[in-house]
Amino acid sequence: MERLGLCLKNLGRHGWRTRVILLIAMFGAFLSFVSENVIEDVSRKQSDMFGRASTGHFRILSSKIETANTFGYYQYKPEEMLKPDEIASVKAFLGGLPEVTGARERIVFGGIFYGDNDKEHGYNGIAMDMSTYDRDFTDLYYAKGQKVAAGESGACAASWYEFERDKIVDVGSSYVFLLPNREGEFVDRLISVKGGIDFRTMPKKTMGLSAMYFDLDGFRAAVGYKDALASEVVGFLADARTADKVLPRISAYLAKDHPRLKVVSWQEYAPIMAEIVIGFDAMMKAVEFILILICVLLVVKLTTFSIIERYSEIGTMRALGFTRADITLQFALEGFLVIAAGTTAGFLLGALLISLLHASGVTNSLTFFEYVIGDGFRPSLHASKIAAVTAVFAAVAVLAPLFPAIRGGRLSILSTLEKR
């Protein structure tokens, strides 16, 4: 307690030095704390946004199907479709993986419909459960018109991006669609386009995906499926950056239980989207490193300078009988107290700011930031990032004053008087 009291007296006596180091430590800790947590959110938002825009972070389908650069719209033979028992088994396995937020069977296909004046239009089709999709799975919503009901066979929903941009369909109108049946033949059906489907997160003016969305059971009924087959099971990850860890586990499971199936990463069927996320994440990690490095160097430099400026005080203390160990401990403890206090204050301010942003949300309408955070996001506190930045500043609080304190403690009385 006596040494602690002496430390506090010295810190008060050198008020300007104490305040400068305190403020720099607080600013550095605040900036590092906020940037680490916000950048983590932005990186996750990127993986989430582009993963949903490319309709899934991975797909499980027949190993014979070629999916490279298809964006999920591929060709397959009827016998290559997943059987009901395979679908149930795969979904059960994926449901036990905490990293996977959603998995569902779908039928993807291509076809033709006849618009105004019987003009032919090619389209990509997706048949999935239209009654249960939600934010955690597809990020879709109805932008216009009526919802397609579960089991409804004579209706579909068109891509909002497609019909708003090209005006090739009118919501509420009916058209003749050619749909592939179980044998791979095309049958014509009169289909009503009941609604328009949109993605919540994507920049609408500059990016969108064209498709026609059918209810899965309704599509099967429309073309005469006898069994509940599907062309794929599509899945989403809570964080696309975990794909390298999760997908090998899925692949091992398939090799053991379903050798005719494979798991395909979005890095294969939507490489542009995946590369955007990977590149952006690498850039964000570089920004994180640079910010922390600048903050740490500022604190270390100022702490070192403040101790060097007190070499004359060290000489006086040596003359009064303080040992080298006493001086080292004294100056290291003083530096630690100042940096620790500033760091704590910075962390608390950072946590307060992030909590306020989380409560209010961050929205924007600029195209560039739509690519970065979509139409908005709510930054959160991440335990792993808090632990990392705490460890860094704890090390700084200990080491930044320790090395100059050791150097000062080793100086002779004559040397300190010369440095005066």
Side-chain angles (χ1 to χ4, degrees), residues 13-45:
R13 188 160 54 87
H14 297 281
W16 71 271
R17 291 192 183 97
T18 301
R19 286 192 294 271
V20 169
I21 297 175
L22 183 69
L23 290 173
I24 292 298
M26 183 175 68
F27 174 76
F30 170 80
L31 185 61
S32 299
F33 187 94
V34 172
S35 64
E36 284 288 303
N37 284 278
V38 170
I39 285 175
E40 175 67 13
D41 266 296
V42 171
S43 293
R44 291 189 182 190
K45 185 72 173 181

Side-chain angles (χ1 to χ4, degrees), residues 5-301:
L6 180 59
C7 287
L8 295 176
K9 287 180 180 179
N10 280 339
L11 292 176
R13 188 160 54 87
H14 297 281
W16 71 271
R17 291 192 183 97
T18 301
R19 286 192 294 271
V20 169
I21 297 175
L22 183 69
L23 290 173
I24 292 298
M26 183 175 68
F27 174 76
F30 170 80
L31 185 61
S32 299
F33 187 94
V34 172
S35 64
E36 284 288 303
N37 284 278
V38 170
I39 285 175
E40 175 67 13
D41 266 296
V42 171
S43 293
R44 291 189 182 190
K45 185 72 173 181
Q46 282 273 296
S47 70
D48 176 78
M49 182 171 66
F50 285 102
R52 294 180 193 283
S54 57
T55 56
H57 292 120
F58 65 89
R59 296 163 187 267
I60 295 176
L61 35 64
S62 170
S63 58
K64 296 180 180 180
I65 298 175
E66 177 58 50
T67 61
N69 295 299
T70 63
F71 278 82
Y73 301 106
Y74 44 81
Q75 300 296 321
Y76 56 89
K77 298 177 182 178
E79 61 270 19
E80 293 172 344
M81 300 187 77
L82 277 69
K83 298 177 177 60
D85 59 331
E86 292 174 324
I87 295 170
S89 176
V90 166
K91 289 173 64 179
F93 175 78
L94 295 178
L97 298 178
E99 300 90 348
V100 177
T101 59
R104 202 163 303 163
E105 73 269 30
R106 303 193 311 187
I107 299 175
V108 299
F109 59 92
I112 294 174
F113 76 91
Y114 295 91
D116 296 336
N117 301 319
D118 286 335
K119 184 177 180 180
E120 292 185 354
H121 298 277
Y123 70 92
N124 294 315
I126 298 176
M128 64 185 192
D129 188 343
M130 296 294 284
S131 66
T132 59
Y133 72 73
D134 52 36
R135 172 63 183 84
D136 290 334
F137 181 67
T138 59
D139 197 33
L140 297 177
Y141 76 106
Y142 281 93
K144 185 179 180 180
Q146 297 179 315
K147 293 183 177 181
V148 176
E152 191 169 1
S153 60
C156 72
S159 165
W160 175 260
Y161 174 80
E162 182 176 29
F163 76 73
E164 279 297 295
R165 182 193 63 182
D166 299 331
K167 306 293 184 182
I168 61 173
V169 297
D170 290 321
V171 171
S173 299
S174 297
Y175 304 88
V176 174
F177 278 75
L178 295 185
L179 306 175
N181 63 14
R182 173 66 182 85
E183 289 72 35
E185 303 168 339
F186 283 87
V187 295
D188 59 301
R189 297 289 185 268
L190 185 64
I191 303 294
S192 173
V193 181
K194 292 186 65 176
I197 290 289
D198 202 359
F199 287 92
R200 283 186 175 89
T201 53
M202 295 307 297
K204 307 303 187 298
K205 297 179 181 178
T206 54
M207 179 175 289
L209 296 178
S210 297
M212 295 289 179
Y213 298 88
F214 295 75
D215 180 75
L216 183 60
D217 289 336
F219 176 82
R220 287 166 174 160
V223 298
Y225 271 61
K226 295 181 180 180
D227 299 317
L229 306 175
S231 62
E232 67 179 12
V233 171
V234 63
F236 291 100
L237 299 169
D239 186 348
R241 297 171 298 174
T242 63
D244 290 341
K245 297 180 181 178
V246 179
L247 265 56
R249 288 153 58 190
I250 299 176
S251 183
Y253 154 75
L254 294 175
K256 178 183 177 183
D257 290 5
H258 304 287
R260 84 177 192 93
L261 303 180
K262 67 178 178 179
V263 60
V264 180
S265 167
W266 69 327
Q267 294 184 38
E268 176 178 322
Y269 61 80
I272 294 176
M273 298 294 194
E275 287 169 7
I276 289 174
V277 171
I278 293 170
F280 188 86
D281 185 54
M283 182 181 70
M284 288 294 98
K285 281 184 168 58
V287 171
E288 288 180 34
F289 176 78
I290 292 171
L291 284 175
I292 288 184
L293 184 62
I294 291 173
C295 294
V296 168
L297 289 178
L298 276 174
V299 174
V300 171
K301 186 67 176 177

Side-chain angles (χ1 to χ4, degrees), residues 293-345:
L293 184 62
I294 291 173
C295 294
V296 168
L297 289 178
L298 276 174
V299 174
V300 171
K301 186 67 176 177
L302 283 172
T303 304
T304 302
F305 178 75
S306 69
I307 294 177
I308 291 175
E309 284 290 297
R310 295 171 63 186
Y311 275 169
S312 60
E313 183 180 339
I314 292 175
T316 303
M317 293 175 67
R318 289 294 308 281
L320 292 174
F322 282 79
T323 65
R324 288 191 173 101
D326 289 333
I327 292 172
T328 299
L329 180 59
Q330 185 72 29
F331 279 78
L333 184 57
E334 289 177 18
F336 173 81
L337 291 175
V338 177
I339 297 173
T343 297
T344 302

